Amino acid sequence: MNTLYKTFFLFVIIIGAISCGGSKKAEQEALAQARRDSIALAKQNAILPIQKKYGAILGIAPKEVDNIALFEFIDEWMNTPYLLGGNTKKGIDCSYFTQYIYHDVYGNLIERTADKQFKADDTNKFKGLHNLKQGDLIFFNNKGSEFREITHVGFYLGNDRFVHSTSRRGNSGGNGVQISILSEQPWKRMFVAAGKKPKYTNNKTAQNK
């Protein structure tokens, strides 16, 4: 039985106690418990600011932004400048960024470069965009060819959006960590394949992604 129904039945009990001449103390205790249950229910259904922010960015309902740890991580790195070989908030490249996501959010250490992440034995590659799920890696190169070296990697978020660190300037006018739309150019032309990698974590929300 969920909290809402528990609260409802508790109020029924309170009314019954009052109508049957229940003690004042019992009535007060029941009312206090009802208030606590109502507060707990409100907290359970509360939408966090970060859910509102990234729900708007991704074009989805805020409640669908359910992997809070992931979006808190992204929010910390957003607008960090792009730097080839960089691995700090002063500058970071694409594969260091995806490596950090997998390590810090999911607890899995993946390969250092985009090409190695693509070629790794545990990367389950596929081309069908309908199979994309949050947490998949997306691989690119200038020709969109699997026969050329992979030069860029991003992390799929859902609803055609992915987060990455890129030297290309986005809508904000800056480069670095940003959220882009996969079906827009140049990403549509440069897309090679996506890849699923195993995730190891104690974070149950992330584990189910």
Side-chain angles (χ1 to χ4, degrees), residues 26-43:
E27 178 185 338
Q28 291 173 341
E29 289 177 352
L31 284 169
Q33 183 60 51
R35 283 194 294 269
R36 288 193 292 270
D37 285 347
S38 295
I39 291 170
L41 179 61
K43 288 182 177 179

Side-chain angles (χ1 to χ4, degrees), residues 86-103:
N87 62 355
T88 72
K89 295 290 179 62
K90 294 181 179 180
I92 191 167
D93 68 19
C94 65
S95 55
Y96 257 127
F97 182 65
T98 53
Q99 188 182 56
Y100 280 5
I101 291 181
Y102 265 76
H103 180 270

Side-chain angles (χ1 to χ4, degrees), residues 105-119:
V105 179
Y106 299 101
N108 184 19
L109 182 61
I110 66 173
E111 299 74 26
R112 163 65 187 93
T113 68
D115 196 57
K116 287 181 178 179
Q117 290 173 10
F118 177 76
K119 292 177 178 176

